[in-house]
RNA sequence: GGUCUCUUAGCUCAGCUGGAUAGAGCAACGGUUUUCUAAACCGUAGGUCGAAGGUUCGAGUCCUUCAGGGACUACCA
């Protein structure tokens, strides 16, 4: 079977306004470095100087901590801070004034700096994004579903993470390819197939009106029930648990099916194909609802035999060794791992063999030296082994293998298990989120008169916004708790709150009409709240870089939440449309505009849409 | 047994490469709407950052030990 062809990419070369100006932070750091040199003959560079955001209770935007330099300055913390502050005052035109508290030097930037910034960037498209495709290409593999059951909440986390991380990397200038390695073969599928053949009575998605992946999943659960019953019976006849687990008729039958499948048995392959088609049709719907997509699909039924060439290569290079029964191993004890099998005694592949083959294939296709695998943390060991083998084989992509290991989604009662039916189903959850969005919207009654179609879109936007934000705001590395009893919030630190902030801004901008970008800087005085909001807007490019570096959508979530909160405060404290001072009014409208733009932009990095009204 | 990882308010989570008095949201209680969308805003209450040592001007953050969770450690994928 041929692999699906790699589609042609539309590489759109939009002209983005580059952020070629240095950030004010870098400027301050450089000046502090020269201050340290001029005042105390300390040799350092701007990159080594650390400044941080000023804590809310103090005046200023940026803070320099003098303590690390006291031994060299040989002066008191206050004196040192004052010296540097005075130096900056004459050498840094952007500095308005400074304040010294103990050893902390707090710097206040001139309001003209912030006004120039908003004037310059309120209309910059894709503000904060790096030039597209200006950085090395990266391949992101995610989703990787099994075809024997529908997707559950854990998969949703995987998909949203994979999608969002890809978008973040793109925003940071990388060329990103996404792929999905579908696990469409193996004993688990045979289990569903066996149960369907035995108990299915020819049921199909059409005849039952059940979504294909759910129908196949139903038989996976039935298999497990039958299997467990069989084990119990065998045990009551005196068989050990271990033997019973191996000799139960249903598992034996499933294994036989797998053998037949590998032997290309017509009947088994026919059923396999049919059931896979059901599942794919179901997945397609769920993927669409989640808004994820891939440049390339791989199927294990195509790739599971790959990797044997690499085993040969490894044997030639003496990276692998053979045991008496012919099985091939690698010794990773020096790396703190174990001896790992790479090829069975009978010459068949194991998981790692296949993954090595797939890695090679992906490299040939995409030529990415960096490759990110979005896979649960239970496979950390596997990916350590994979990378070690690739390193020992001197593969060009070896160093760039990165396992984005995310934590499980846990329920109050423990882990989700598909075969036991203790899962939060993806489709059900999405439907529930949409329902909640509908109920809330109707209760508030602001959307009366909207068309049925618009409303449906809105419920989906809000429901998915809540779900996505909920899953993405937690650090990917950490496991997270989901309690189905208390539903996902729509208030506070949530997707809908931020969407709401956006909708409010849009409402103002609709009423405002044309927003002139010119205002007389002299006629304006910035409030503390406005300054904080401008500072937040200013930080967005850095946030994208940080999120990209850490591969963490959570960074974006935290940022955009703070931005929305800052805006809400601003909105609450300031009149905008009725402001008499026209320059002030224009400034505020520009702040609104830019805030809306960044909310929309940041949310797009999370795969969340924003409504014009809600 | 070994390796990795986690433990912050009643609950769910932030806390950037060590910096000022540890922050949000939810839940609880109280307040704000004749004015641009109240899915909002403000306030009150809630903490020995799992425990103990150590490193230093300074530790939720780094190191060590311990306790308690979780994952992995298959000729399964």
């Amino acid at each position: 079977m041929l692999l699906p062809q790699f589609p042609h990419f539309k590489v759109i070369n939009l002209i983005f306004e580059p952020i070629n100006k240095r950030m004010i932070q870098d400027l301050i750091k450089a000046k502090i470095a020269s201050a340290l040199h001029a005042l105390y003959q300390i040799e350092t560079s701007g990159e080594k100087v650390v400044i941080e955001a000023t804590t809310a209770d103090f005046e200023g935007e940026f803070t320099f901590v003098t303590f690390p330099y006291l031994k060299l300055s040989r002066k008191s913390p206050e004196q040192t801070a004052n010296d540097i502050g005075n130096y900056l005052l004459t050498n840094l035109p952007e500095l308005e004034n400074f304040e010294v508290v103990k050893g902390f030097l707090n710097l206040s930037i001139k309001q003209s700096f912030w006004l120039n910034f908003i004037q310059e960037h309120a209309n910059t498209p894709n503000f904060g994004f790096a030039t597209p495709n200006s950085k090395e290409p990266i391949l992101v593999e995610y989703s990787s579903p099994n075809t024997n059951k529908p997707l559950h909440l854990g998969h949703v986390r995987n998909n949203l993470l994979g999608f969002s991380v890809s978008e973040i990397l793109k925003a940071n200038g990388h060329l990103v390819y996404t792929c999905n390695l579908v696990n469409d073969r193996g004993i688990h599928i045979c289990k569903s197939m066996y149960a369907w053949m035995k108990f299915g009575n020819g049921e199909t998605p059409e005849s039952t009106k059940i979504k294909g992946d759910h129908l196949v999943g139903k038989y996976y659960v039935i298999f497990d029930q039958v299997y467990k019953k069989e084990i119990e019976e065998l045990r009551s006849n005196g068989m050990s648990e271990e033997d019973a687990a191996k000799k139960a008729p249903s598992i034996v039958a499933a294994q036989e099916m797998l053998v037949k499948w590998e032997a290309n048995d017509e009947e088994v392959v026919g059923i396999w194909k049919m059931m896979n088609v059901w599942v794919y049709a179901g997945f397609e719907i769920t993927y669409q609802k989640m808004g994820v997509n891939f440049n390339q699909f791989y199927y294990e039924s195509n790739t599971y035999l790959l990797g044997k060439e690499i085993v040969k290569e490894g044997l030639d290079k003496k990276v692998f060794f053979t045991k008496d029964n012919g099985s091939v191993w690698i010794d990773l004890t020096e790396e703190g791992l174990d001896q790992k099998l790479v090829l069975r005694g009978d010459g068949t592949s194991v998981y790692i063999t296949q993954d090595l083959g797939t890695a090679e294939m992906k490299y040939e296709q995409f030529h990415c030296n960096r490759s990110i695998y979005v896979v649960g943390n239970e496979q950390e060991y596997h990916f350590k082994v994979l990378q070690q083998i690739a390193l020992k084989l001197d593969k060009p992509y070896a160093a760039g293998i990165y396992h984005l290991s995310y934590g499980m989604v846990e329920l109050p009662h423990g882990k989700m298990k598909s075969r036991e039916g203790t899962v939060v189903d993806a489709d059900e959850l999405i439907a529930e989120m949409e329902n909640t969005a509908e109920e809330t919207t109707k209760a508030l009654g602001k959307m009366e008169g909207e068309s049925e179609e618009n409303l449906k879109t809105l419920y989906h936007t809000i429901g998915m916004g809540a779900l996505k934000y909920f899953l993405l705001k937690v650090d990917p590395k950490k496991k997270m708790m989901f309690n189905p009893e208390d539903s996902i919030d729509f208030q506070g630190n949530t997707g809908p709150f931020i969407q709401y902030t956006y909708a409010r801004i849009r409402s103002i901008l609709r009423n405002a009409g044309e927003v002139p970008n010119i205002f007389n800087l002299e006629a304006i005085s910035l409030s503390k709240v406005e300054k904080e909001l401008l500072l937040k807007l200013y930080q967005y490019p850095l946030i994208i870089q940080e999120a990209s570096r850490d591969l963490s959508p959570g960074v974006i979530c935290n940022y955009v939440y703070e931005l929305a909160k800052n805006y809400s405060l601003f909105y609450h404290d300031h009149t905008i449309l009725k402001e008499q001072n026209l320059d002030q009014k224009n400034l505020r409208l520009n702040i609104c505009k830019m805030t809306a733009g960044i909310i929309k932009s940041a949310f797009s990095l999370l795969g969340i849409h924003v409504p014009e009204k809600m």
Side-chain angles (χ1 to χ4, degrees):
Chain A
M1 211 188 298
L2 278 173
L3 284 172
Q5 280 302 299
F6 178 52
H8 273 292
F9 282 108
K10 281 179 279 177
V11 179
I12 306 163
N13 267 321
L14 296 172
I15 313 269
F16 291 109
E17 200 135 332
I19 318 166
N20 48 14
K21 275 199 176 163
R22 291 172 81 187
M23 302 283 291
I24 184 78
Q25 288 94 320
D26 298 325
L27 214 56
I28 296 172
K29 286 182 199 175
K31 289 292 178 193
I32 289 177
S34 39
L36 287 167
H37 180 73
L39 296 167
Y40 315 115
Q41 293 78 49
I42 298 172
E43 292 297 336
T44 184
S45 69
E47 281 123 47
K48 287 186 189 152
V49 173
V50 176
I51 59 167
E52 39 208 87
T54 303
T55 311
D57 302 337
F58 299 95
E59 278 299 315
E61 288 93 5
F62 302 103
T63 295
F64 175 67
V65 185
T66 59
F67 294 112
Y69 297 92
L70 296 183
K71 272 182 190 158
L72 295 163
S73 78
R74 309 175 125 247
K75 296 210 167 130
S76 72
E78 292 81 0
Q79 189 60 54
T80 308
N82 266 307
D83 288 350
I84 298 171
N86 281 318
Y87 178 95
L88 292 178
L89 216 45
T90 47
N91 289 287
L92 184 66
E94 288 84 356
L95 188 65
E96 174 72 31
N97 56 37
F98 68 92
E99 190 185 59
V100 174
V101 183
K102 288 187 275 182
F104 298 92
L105 172 61
N106 297 328
L107 304 169
S108 296
I109 304 301
K110 280 184 182 157
Q111 79 163 29
S112 60
F113 175 84
W114 300 116
L115 294 175
N116 278 323
F117 160 70
I118 185 82
Q119 205 163 44
E120 195 171 339
H121 285 294
N123 292 312
T124 302
N126 292 297
F127 171 73
F129 283 35
T131 310
N133 307 345
S134 59
K135 295 185 188 149
E136 59 173 337
I138 299 178
L139 181 61
V140 181
E141 175 184 308
Y142 69 98
S143 198
S144 309
N146 289 348
T147 57
N148 63 323
K149 59 190 180 201
L151 304 176
H152 61 59
L153 184 55
H155 300 119
V156 178
R157 188 178 194 194
N158 177 304
N159 281 279
L160 300 182
L161 264 178
F163 181 85
S164 178
V165 163
S166 304
E167 293 303 306
I168 290 167
L169 289 170
K170 282 182 206 168
N172 196 32
H174 292 279
L175 173 59
V176 176
Y177 304 113
T178 56
C179 70
N180 183 349
L181 175 58
V182 182
N183 183 4
D184 61 344
R185 64 167 283 278
I187 189 72
H188 47 282
I189 288 107
C190 292
K191 287 178 180 175
S192 293
M193 286 159 62
Y194 169 77
W196 180 83
M197 285 171 79
K198 191 142 188 210
F199 309 105
N201 297 319
E203 277 189 4
T204 65
E206 290 74 29
S207 75
T208 56
K209 307 272 187 247
I210 297 175
K211 197 162 160 278
D213 48 338
H214 288 264
L215 184 66
V216 174
K218 173 181 149 187
Y219 286 100
Y220 187 63
V221 173
I222 289 176
F223 177 91
D224 197 59
Q225 289 162 350
V226 171
Y227 179 42
K228 282 210 172 115
K229 219 176 271 173
E230 287 172 358
I231 292 177
E232 260 172 53
E233 274 174 35
L234 290 173
R235 287 195 64 194
S236 65
N237 293 337
M239 195 180 277
S240 77
E241 179 158 10
E242 207 178 320
D243 281 351
K246 279 182 192 160
K247 290 187 178 153
S250 55
I251 193 76
V252 171
Q255 251 143 16
E256 277 168 12
M257 284 186 90
L258 182 59
V259 173
K260 281 186 178 174
W261 182 89
E262 297 211 359
N264 219 359
D265 177 277
E266 208 172 307
E267 191 198 359
V268 172
V269 171
I271 293 170
W272 173 79
K273 275 187 182 160
M274 176 183 73
M275 290 180 84
N276 270 344
V277 167
W278 297 349
V279 170
Y280 294 145
F283 281 175
E284 182 54 35
I285 292 169
T286 311
Y287 281 147
Q288 235 169 48
K289 280 192 281 195
M290 289 193 293
V292 302
N293 48 59
F294 307 91
N295 295 125
Q296 179 72 60
F297 280 88
Y298 296 115
Y299 299 91
E300 275 196 21
S301 55
N302 287 326
T303 62
Y304 82 107
L305 294 176
L306 291 174
K308 293 194 189 180
E309 289 295 316
I310 295 184
V311 173
K312 266 185 222 153
E313 183 188 335
L315 280 169
D316 290 345
K317 288 186 180 169
K318 303 237 187 309
V319 173
F320 302 151
F321 65 94
T322 314
K323 283 196 179 176
D324 290 342
N325 63 358
S327 56
V328 182
W329 296 72
I330 184 165
D331 189 353
L332 293 172
T333 44
E334 272 180 35
E335 284 74 22
L337 306 167
D338 301 302
Q339 291 195 350
K340 296 299 294 181
L341 177 87
V342 292
L343 198 70
R344 289 197 192 97
D346 61 6
T348 57
S349 307
V350 289
Y351 185 30
I352 195 86
T353 331
Q354 166 201 302
D355 250 16
L356 282 165
T358 312
E360 190 80 6
M361 186 172 75
K362 289 197 286 196
Y363 186 71
E364 280 166 19
Q365 187 171 355
F366 294 102
H367 304 288
C368 291
N369 287 321
R370 276 185 74 189
S371 173
I372 295 170
Y373 293 80
V374 183
V375 179
N377 62 11
E378 77 273 13
Q379 291 199 35
E380 275 171 14
Y381 194 88
H382 170 78
F383 282 102
K384 275 183 194 161
V385 172
L386 182 73
Q387 178 160 44
Q388 282 305 323
I389 295 177
L391 282 170
K392 282 178 183 280
L393 291 173
D394 283 325
K395 295 295 179 191
Y397 50 81
I401 290 175
Y402 183 82
H403 176 202
L404 177 52
S405 161
Y406 65 91
M408 297 289 106
V409 181
E410 290 181 358
L411 304 176
H413 313 290
K415 238 186 122 172
M416 279 187 268
K417 291 199 175 111
S418 292
R419 43 171 197 271
E420 289 170 17
T422 55
V423 293
V424 176
D425 178 73
D427 295 314
E428 280 174 26
L429 182 60
I430 291 170
E432 199 179 299
M433 298 306 299
E434 288 170 347
N435 280 338
T436 311
E438 178 171 358
E439 281 165 24
T440 311
T441 305
K442 282 183 174 159
L444 290 170
K446 295 182 203 169
M447 298 306 284
E448 277 150 25
E450 284 293 324
S451 76
E452 218 27 64
E453 203 188 327
N454 285 351
L455 286 173
K456 235 183 137 184
T457 309
L458 179 68
Y459 303 150
H460 183 256
T461 301
I462 296 174
M464 287 309 290
L467 178 59
K468 289 183 177 183
Y469 189 86
F470 178 83
L471 289 172
L472 289 173
K473 78 172 176 200
V474 181
D475 183 330
K477 292 189 284 296
K478 292 189 180 169
K479 66 182 179 201
M480 64 183 296
M481 176 64 68
F482 177 75
N483 189 352
E485 302 295 314
D486 26 271
S487 53
I488 293 174
D489 272 312
F490 281 58
Q491 277 154 17
N493 187 356
T494 67
F497 162 60
I498 295 159
Q499 288 172 322
Y500 173 70
T501 308
Y502 179 84
R504 272 170 139 185
I505 300 176
R506 293 299 305 153
S507 171
I508 287 185
L509 292 175
R510 275 192 301 272
N511 291 332
E514 190 85 359
V515 178
N517 190 223
I518 306 294
F519 33 85
N520 177 6
L521 305 191
E522 305 303 318
I524 293 170
S525 76
L526 279 177
S527 69
K528 191 169 168 65
V529 172
E530 284 169 322
K531 223 183 259 182
E532 273 167 23
L533 185 49
L534 284 167
L535 179 60
K536 264 279 170 312
L537 296 170
Y538 185 76
Q539 304 288 16
Y540 184 52
L542 287 178
I543 295 297
I544 291 179
Q545 286 167 26
E546 192 185 325
S548 173
R549 184 196 63 199
D550 298 347
L551 300 177
S552 176
V555 170
I556 303 284
C557 290
N558 289 336
Y559 166 79
V560 73
Y561 172 62
E562 282 170 20
L563 177 65
K565 243 186 111 66
N566 271 334
Y567 180 84
S568 288
L569 196 59
F570 161 78
Y571 178 90
H572 185 265
D573 290 357
H574 299 76
T575 52
I576 298 164
L577 293 172
K578 289 181 182 159
E579 170 60 45
Q580 297 299 307
N581 178 336
L582 278 186
D583 291 300
Q584 194 90 40
K585 178 180 169 185
N586 277 343
L587 162 73
R588 288 180 184 161
L589 283 171
N590 276 279
I591 290 178
C592 289
K593 203 170 175 184
M594 190 162 181
T595 304
I598 291 184
I599 288 177
K600 189 174 186 176
S601 160
F603 259 27
S604 79
L605 300 182
L606 304 173
I608 305 177
H609 297 284
V610 285
E612 293 297 305
K613 291 180 196 170
M614 70 183 272

